[in-house]
Amino acid sequence: MAVNLDKEAYYRRIKRLYSNWKKGEDEFGKVDAIVVSVGVDEEIVYAKSTAIQTWLFGYELTDTIMVFCDTKIIFLASKKKVDFLKQVAMTKGNENANGVPPITLLTREKNESNKANFDKMIEAIRGSKEGKRVGIFSKDKFPGDYMKSWNDTITSGGLEKVDISAVVAYAMAVKEDGELSLMKKAAAITSEVYSKFFKERVMEIVDADEKVRHSKLAESVEKAIEEKKYLGGADPTTVEMCYPPIIQSGGNYSLKFSVVSDKNHMHFGAITCAMGIRYKSYCSNLVRTLMVDPPQEMQDNYNFLLQVEEELLKHLKHGVKISEAYNAVQEYVKKEKSELASKLTKNLGFAMGIEFREGSLVVNSKNQYKLKKGMVLSVSLGFADLVNKEGKKDEQKKYALFIGDTIQINEEDAATILTPVKKKIKNVGIFLKNDDEDDDDEDGDDAEELLGKGARSAALLADRTRNEMTAEEKRRAHQKELANHLNEEAKRRLTERQGDHQIQKARKSNVSYKNMSQMPREKDIREMKIFIDKKYETVVMPVFGIATPFHIATIKNISMSVEGDYTYLRINFYVPGSSLGRQEGNIFPNPDATFVKEITYRASNLKTPGDPSVPSTNLQNAFRIIKEVQKRYKTREAEEKEKEGIVKQDSLVINLNRSNPKLKDLYIRPNIAQKRMQGSVEAHTNGFRFTSVRGDKVDILYNNIKHAIFQPCDGEMIIVLHFHLKNAIMFGKRRHTDVQFYTEVGEITTDLGKHQHMHDRDDLYAEQMEREMRHKLKSAFKNFIEKVETLTKEQLEFEVPFRDLGFQGAPYRSTCLLQPTSGSLVNTTEWPPFLVTLDEVELVHFERVQFHLKNFDVVIVYKEYNKKVTMINAVPVNSLDPIKEWLNSCDIKYTEGVQSLNWTKIMKTIVDDPEGFFEQGGWSFLDPEGEGSGAEEDSESEMEDETFNPSADDDEEQEEEEDSDEDYSSDTEDSNFSVESEGSEEESGKDWDELEEEARKADRDSQYVEEDTTTASNTNNKKRKLRPSVPSSTPNKKKRRR
C-alpha cells in the first residue's frame, strides 16, 4: 500500500485512548481488553469501529480486527494492510512511541478459518488484566463468515461483552487543532453550497414561480458539490454529503435528520433545509429556514428562535453538563414564550466529528456528560406544528421553523459558530407580495374553480389587460402615499424640535495682558517702535504716543509696501461687520465698543547721521515676525477646532488570541502622515486596530461604526473596507468620520510607450496573474468579514454595494460611479468618499430634467433641515428611471423639475417658519402632479419665483425681487412661443401654400398667447405687491391656459 500514515497523530491518539482506559471511569473500568472488528458492508456509512480506525490511521481498514490489551496491541489484517500498518509497528528511534504498547501484526489467511490467529488473540485477551470482559461496540454488526466466526470465537471463549461506545466517543470528542481545521473547512464548504447554490436556486424558483419537487431540489444540491466553484478551492474527491439534503415545506415537517425529502412540490411559505458536508472524513451541518412573504407572527416566532439559539450558545461552555444547558434553554422558553415550550424540538443537537451524530452526546435533559474545550457540536433547534392564522389553504395553515449550526466549545466564552451563514429575518425572508398581487391571486383562484385549469391562464391574461397597473402608475401611486406621509412626519418632527434653539457662539476674547506687570519693558517700546511679544502672542504698537497691545487674534492681515523713500506697514483688524468666514461666527463679546479698523505706519528708508540703523528696519522685522506668530496661532487654533466636539471613545480591548481576524498589507485613507504607509488591520474584542509599519495605531470601535462597506474589486482597481463613523476620531492631527483600508489589485498606471500585442505571452500571463490575485484578495477580504460578523454576533454587518444599480454622477469635482447598498448610497473608490445614509434622507429632487438635455442633477434633502443639502451633478438622463425605481423601492419620496433652485434660501425659509411652510402644502410645491397643481399652481409658481428664486441674493430688496419675477414671466412667454414655433417647423413634406397657411395660424395663436400671458403677468405683479413673502394657501381663481 503506497499510502503514508500519520505516525505522530497515531501515537498521540493511542496514548489518549490508553490514558482514558487506565483512569477506569465509567465502562472503561469494567473491561480488561478492547476489541474493534470491521467487516465489509457498503450500506453502513457511520460506525464507531470505522470511526476509530479513521481517527487512528486516517483510513478505513475493512476485514481488520484490532485487539487492545493492557500491554500489547494485536492487528489481524490482509497482507497489504499489514504492510501499511508496519509504519506504526516499527517504533525504533521514535520518541513519540514511548509509552505506547508494542504492536503485533498477524496476517489473515484467506483460504483458512484463521483459527490459529483467533486463538492467539483470545490468549492475549486472557492475559490482559483479569481477562474476563472485553469492550466492544454493540451496535456495529458486520455481515460475512469472517466476522461471524470471530464473534463465535469470543462467545465460545466465555468472554463477557461490555459496550464501550459512549466512553470511546467521549474520548474522541475533543478535537485536536488539525481535526478542528478540517471541520472548519467542512463547515465553510457547507456554508458556500448553501449560500451560493441552494439559496440562489430557491430565489430563482420563487421568482419564476416554478414547480419543483423537494427530492429533485435535494438531488441538485448533491450534484452541486461536484462543481469546484462551490467548494472554496477544495478537491471534489475529498468532499461528500453527510446525508441527503432534507428540504421540507407545505405543512409536512419532521425536524429530524433521519427523514428524506419527499416528492411534493415546494410550497412558497416556510421552507426548511438541512444539509451537511463531509470533508476528509470530518462532518459539518447547517440548517436554515427560508420564508416567502412571512406574516408578522411567523417573523416574531423566528426572531424568538434566534434568541433561543443565542441562549443555548451562552450555556455551551467547557465544564458545563449537557443536561444543564438543555434545561436552561427550556426555562428560558417557558419564561419568555411559554406557549412555544411544547413546540420546541426534544433534542437541541449532538456531538459531531468523524461520525455525523454521536448518540451518546445528544443535547437533551438526561445527558450527564460534561462539555470540554475543543468539542464540536451540531446544534439544531426548531418549533414544530405552528399554526399560521392567515393561511387559507391546507399547506399554508401549518408551518415549522428550524435552524442549526456547527459550533465549537470554548473554555470561558460562548460557543463559536463555524457556519457563519446569516440567518436574520432580512437574510432569510423573501418578500414578494403587495395588495395588487393579492387581488390577482384571489381572482386567479376563483377563475380556476369556475373555469377549470385550462381556462385559467386566459382569464388571468384578460383580467391583467383590463385592470393591471403599469410599473410607472404603481410607482406614482406609491409616491403619492409617500408624499402624504412625508409632510405629516416632517411637520411632527419639526414641532417636537421647536423648543431647541441653536446658541450662536461668541467670538473668543483673547486678552493680551491681565495686568500691567505682564507688560514688557523693552527698549523698542520706550522708543515708540513696534514690538512683538512672542510669549503672549501680542503686538505692542505706538498709538498717539502710547504703547498699546493688540493680541495677534485681532489682526486680520498685514501688508508692507515701499514707495519712494518710505516704507509703509498697513495692519487691518477684525471688526464687527467684517467677514470672519462661515464657521467662525462674527459675534464679538462687546459689539457696541469702538474698534480700530486699520493702522498704517510709515518709516524712512534713508539713514540719517547718528542713527545706528535705517528706521524702516523696525517695520520690516515687525512684518516678518507678525506673519510667523500669526501662522503659529492659526495652526494651534485649527488643531483646537478639530478637537472640538470630539466624543471620547472607549478603550480598545485587545484580544491576545492569535487567531484574531487579520488583514495584512493594507493602506489607510486618509493618510496618517504625508506619505501613504502600509499596515495591518486586526479585529479585537470591541473594535479594529490598524497598525502601520512605522508603529502608528488607529483604533475604530464597533459601537462607533455607522456603516461598514465592503467594496469588492469587480471592475475596480482597488478593494476597500470603508467605515463611516457615528462620531469623528482624531489621527494625523485632524478629525475624520470616514476611514478606509484598501489595497491595489492591478496596475493603476499603464505604460503607453510599451509595444502591445493581443497575443503577447507576457501580457496574457500578467492578465492571468491579475485575475488570480483579484480572486485571492476577494476571498481573503470575504473570509475576514465573515469572521468579524461572527465575532460581533452580527451586530456589525458589512454592506456590499449593488453595482448593477449604480449610476454615474459628480458629487464633488469628478465623475464617479455611485452605488446603492442596503442602507446607503456610496462611492468609496475615489477620495474624498461619498456616503449618504438613506434613513436620514427626507426626499430626493431631480433638477434640470428636460428632453433636450443629456444630464440632470440630483438634490438630496435631509430630515435634519439645518444640514446642507447634497448635490450630485451631471447624472446621465438614461439613469433617471432606474434611480426612480430604486428610490421607490426604498420608500423615499422623489420629485423632479426643469430648473435649478436656490436650496440655501429654501431651507432657510422652512427652518424660519416650518408651520407656515406645511400649512401651504409643504413639499408639494416641488411636485408638478401633487395636490398643489391646478388651481393652486399660480401661487406655487409665485412662491418659487419670489421666496425660492435661485438667482436672488440674500440681501436683495423686495423691489429687486419683483423685477426678477417680471423677468422670469417674460422668459416663460418666450419659451412657450419658441416651443410652439419649433413644433410647426419640425413638420416636413408640405408645399409652400400649406406652410404659409400654418405660419399665419401660428402667428395668430402666438399673438393670442402673448396677450393672454401679458395679462396674467400684470395680474400676478399686482397680486405680489399685496401679499406677504410666504405664499398664500387660498386658491387662485384665475383661469390658466395650457
Side-chain angles (χ1 to χ4, degrees), residues 88-104:
V88 290
M90 308 294 288
T91 58
K92 283 185 180 179
N94 195 324
E95 293 178 6
N96 292 316
N98 293 338
V100 177
I103 296 171
T104 303

Side-chain angles (χ1 to χ4, degrees), residues 374-390:
M375 283 184 174
V376 175
L377 274 68
S378 167
V379 294
S380 51
L381 56 165
F383 296 129
D385 299 325
L386 296 172
V387 178
N388 179 12
K389 294 171 185 175
E390 297 179 21

